[in-house]
Amino acid sequence: MAPAFNAAAWLVDRHVEEGRGERTAVRGTRTLTYAELARLSGDVASSLRRLGLRRDDRVVFVMSDDVELIGGVLGAFRAGVVAVPVSTMLGAQELGKILADSGARVVCSTHEYVDAVTAAIDLAPEVEHFVLAGADPSGVLSAASAASTRSWDDFIAVGREGTDQDRAVANTDEDAWALWLYTSGTTGSPKGAMHRHANIRHVCQTYGDQVLGITSADSCFSIAKLFFAYGIGNSAFFPLSAGATTVLEPRRPTPAVLQERMHRDRPTLFFGVPTFYAALLHSDIPDDTFASVRLATSAGEPLPALLQRRFTERFGVEIIDGIGSTEALHIFLSNRPGDIRPGTTGLPVPGYELALRDAEGELVPQGQPGTLHVRGESIAVGYWRRTAASRQVFGGQWLNTGDTYLENQDGSYTCLGRSSDLIKAGGIWVTPSEVESRLLEHPKVAEAAVVGFPDVDGLDKPVACVVTQGSVTQDELIAWCRDGLAHFKSPRTIVFVGELPKTATGKLQRFKVRELVADNVHRTDDVNRQIEQPSTTTTAEQGVHQ
């Protein structure tokens, strides 16, 4: 058997046992010390056991980022059951599929999402208990549902009536299930990536310790929410592992919300995504907003070098760009503080090994593009009930990320996009990010996405969707690209849009960009034909829609 280990005890209880119980652990709508967070997780564990849950049962959380969610996840770890935080952006049908797929026996929700969650429970008859925070749960479930209902306060009261044994840390080992994270499902149905208790410790000891250099003096604020792999590391695993403080914000992130929390809580580590960094640059927040921040990070999609430079010049904070995945739990390839290589994703995080492989699985030479594979101790054990997908993505110790990368002479890695995103124009490969970076250098372009689109002869040509901040024509932008790029790389058509389609993390949805192009570009013998601009305004306040 694997050595005994429980993530909740390691993240919280050890700080209390070693005399750090009075340190601030969480600042949300209320503040908790480590001792108070340990008691809350014990209350949750006790209640789950008293409701009849056993080892490896699943608890789904559809909750805003606040004390209840972090306490609920830690309580599930403590009880030896599986925490399944789920996106609050999903509708009832999507939630219902995840509830049914996971076989969850308990669902916890905050009041903002009660309509979608209660409708989803009707689609998942195995759910036995529904817990609602922030509102009266009476009468919210349909008559067809057999699930019991209780408020969060009543749920905690059930736990407080339990015995010491009910509150005790489960005798789990390193290989026990702790956390299932459902992938975004942007190109298919969501899949639950299954993570062990040991995976949580590994990301803290690698990226947290050796890249962030996090200490107990730090305070963390993340735009990505706790239901994302990126967010749960930023807002829970890293700060708690170091005895630091996490700042939780239940509202949708906007520049105004960020400014408020930065002024109030003075975080030292900030975690964002490229879309939100762009929104901050287009906002009117003060230039000293990030005065307390010693380091910012970015993930989700490649950070354009120009955006990185503009942000640092205005706000005085370095951004280190990295890549992680739901399947790897957090970032495994990243730039470093003081060693930022703009336009690259940096170097492998200590504790991870990378390989670039061709379509046949063979290693490619340095300087040649290949699909990025990674191995490390935080890789998920597979997808729940998805044998075919697991075999395709998880090969022995290696995870196939599906991203195309290039290893540079200095050992850094450059992202060329998803393996399915590369465009072959005129028999030559074109990297969308290279064209997008050139478009973003134009002073009137706020956002850009480039995809391949077939012309009348069925040959793929680069086409760009752009969000502008002022009047600019298609001809001007195409000429701009041709001044800085080889002609075959330049977009043949520009589609002007009010905003680009993104996931809840702010990651570009290229398949929806292709749909936009198909709706707006009329195929003729001349794909360079002038098209009408539907919009020349930008959505500077769009932020990251959670």
Side-chain angles (χ1 to χ4, degrees):
M1 288 183 61
F5 181 72
N6 184 280
W10 186 75
L11 290 170
V12 180
D13 290 37
R14 70 182 169 97
H15 296 299
V16 178
E17 294 164 2
E18 294 171 8
R20 298 185 291 275
E22 295 312 306
R23 286 186 178 175
T24 299
V26 184
R27 289 196 184 107
T29 54
R30 66 184 192 275
T31 299
L32 294 185
T33 64
Y34 274 87
E36 290 168 334
L37 184 57
R39 285 194 289 273
L40 175 59
S41 69
D43 292 339
V44 172
S46 174
S47 187
L48 291 173
R49 286 170 169 147
R50 298 193 74 208
L51 291 180
L53 269 68
R54 300 181 177 87
R55 285 281 299 273
D56 296 337
D57 281 340
R58 272 77 69 193
V59 181
V60 165
F61 298 92
V62 190
M63 308 183 82
S64 55
D65 278 21
D66 211 339
V67 168
E68 290 78 11
L69 176 54
I70 197 169
V73 169
L74 291 167
F77 293 169
R78 187 183 188 94
V81 302
V82 182
V84 189
V86 175
S87 171
T88 57
M89 292 295 293
L90 300 179
Q93 292 290 326
E94 297 164 303
L95 280 174
K97 290 177 182 178
I98 290 176
L99 296 184
D101 182 76
S102 67
R105 295 181 61 193
V106 177
V107 177
C108 299
S109 173
T110 42
H111 64 92
E112 307 98 315
Y113 314 110
V114 63
D115 291 341
V117 173
T118 54
I121 289 174
D122 285 340
L123 305 174
E126 292 183 0
V127 174
E128 299 173 17
H129 305 281
F130 174 55
V131 179
L132 180 63
D136 182 357
S138 302
V140 296
L141 292 181
S142 72
S145 175
S148 66
T149 62
R150 53 180 43 84
S151 69
W152 179 264
D153 290 342
D154 288 344
F155 174 71
I156 294 301
V158 168
R160 287 177 178 164
E161 293 170 358
T163 65
D164 289 344
Q165 186 60 37
D166 291 329
R167 303 173 61 82
V169 175
N171 187 28
T172 53
D173 59 38
E174 291 182 343
D175 286 343
W177 285 338
L179 178 71
W180 290 4
L181 294 171
Y182 274 79
T183 60
S184 61
T186 55
T187 57
S189 60
K191 303 175 292 294
M194 302 178 289
H195 285 286
R196 310 172 302 147
H197 279 261
N199 295 17
I200 294 166
R201 181 182 60 199
H202 186 76
V203 296
C204 296
Q205 294 177 339
T206 55
Y207 184 78
D209 289 349
Q210 300 182 63
V211 176
L212 297 177
I214 191 168
T215 73
S216 60
D218 281 309
S219 177
C220 300
F221 181 37
S222 175
I223 290 303
K225 297 296 189 179
L226 280 162
F227 57 77
F228 296 112
Y230 183 44
I232 201 168
N234 305 338
S235 291
F237 301 155
F238 300 149
L240 297 183
S241 72
T245 301
T246 181
V247 176
L248 298 182
E249 174 52 61
R251 293 170 292 179
R252 182 179 71 85
T254 64
V257 168
L258 172 130
Q259 180 185 348
E260 176 190 326
R261 295 308 299 264
M262 298 294 280
H263 177 75
R264 181 198 312 170
D265 297 292
R266 311 293 293 171
T268 59
L269 290 168
F270 176 74
F271 305 85
V273 296
T275 302
F276 196 75
Y277 285 119
L280 292 175
L281 279 173
H282 292 297
S283 74
D284 59 359
I285 64 173
D287 292 352
D288 64 354
T289 296
F290 287 82
S292 65
V293 175
R294 66 174 179 85
L295 182 66
T297 76
S298 182
E301 60 184 332
L303 179 68
L306 182 65
L307 177 59
Q308 184 179 41
R309 177 174 60 80
R310 287 176 175 170
F311 184 88
T312 300
E313 288 175 351
R314 176 175 169 185
F315 294 109
V317 179
E318 283 189 333
I319 306 175
I320 56 170
D321 189 23
I323 181 178
S325 71
T326 301
E327 294 83 359
L329 191 55
H330 213 272
I331 291 172
F332 51 80
L333 173 63
S334 179
N335 282 273
R336 303 289 197 277
D339 184 20
I340 294 175
R341 307 175 191 206
T344 80
T345 320
L347 302 170
V349 171
Y352 294 92
E353 184 178 349
L354 306 184
L356 299 182
R357 301 183 183 277
D358 61 22
E360 286 70 44
E362 299 297 324
L363 293 173
V364 302
Q366 188 178 49
Q368 296 295 316
T371 300
L372 181 66
H373 291 66
V374 58
R375 68 176 173 185
E377 290 301 311
S378 69
I379 304 299
V381 298
Y383 296 125
W384 170 247
R385 294 174 57 184
R386 297 290 191 278
T387 302
S390 293
R391 288 173 176 169
Q392 181 180 4
V393 173
F394 301 92
Q397 299 180 56
W398 291 91
L399 168 70
N400 181 344
T401 68
D403 293 300
T404 298
Y405 265 81
L406 188 76
E407 184 181 2
N408 304 306
Q409 289 297 318
D410 63 359
S412 65
Y413 287 77
T414 298
C415 182
L416 304 181
R418 296 291 293 175
S419 298
S420 58
D421 290 340
L422 296 182
I423 305 164
K424 201 165 192 178
I428 306 174
W429 288 111
V430 176
T431 305
S433 59
E434 182 180 9
V435 187
E436 291 161 1
S437 293
R438 176 59 182 168
L439 284 164
L440 288 171
E441 290 174 3
H442 193 284
K444 297 292 181 65
V445 174
E447 296 183 76
V450 174
V451 296
F453 188 79
D455 63 12
V456 69
D457 297 316
L459 301 175
D460 275 358
K461 305 295 182 185
V463 175
C465 282
V466 300
V467 178
T468 61
Q469 49 185 5
S471 180
V472 63
T473 68
Q474 173 180 240
D475 287 346
E476 288 175 315
L477 291 181
I478 291 175
W480 172 265
C481 289
R482 288 182 174 176
D483 284 343
L485 298 170
H487 279 210
F488 73 88
K489 297 180 181 180
S490 299
R492 306 307 198 270
T493 299
I494 305 290
V495 176
F496 294 88
V497 296
E499 62 180 355
L500 295 177
K502 303 182 183 73
T503 66
T505 53
K507 187 182 296 185
L508 183 70
Q509 294 177 301
R510 288 194 188 271
F511 75 101
K512 290 190 176 180
V513 174
R514 294 187 185 97
E515 293 173 0
L516 278 174
V517 169
D519 289 341
N520 285 276
V521 175
H522 302 287
R523 300 185 192 181
T524 68
D525 289 335
D526 178 13
V527 296
N528 291 312
R529 66 189 292 271
Q530 180 75 27
I531 62 173
E532 186 176 342
Q533 294 185 32
S535 173
T536 57
T537 59
T538 185
T539 50
E541 291 283 321
Q542 64 186 325
V544 182
H545 298 287
Q546 299 290 355

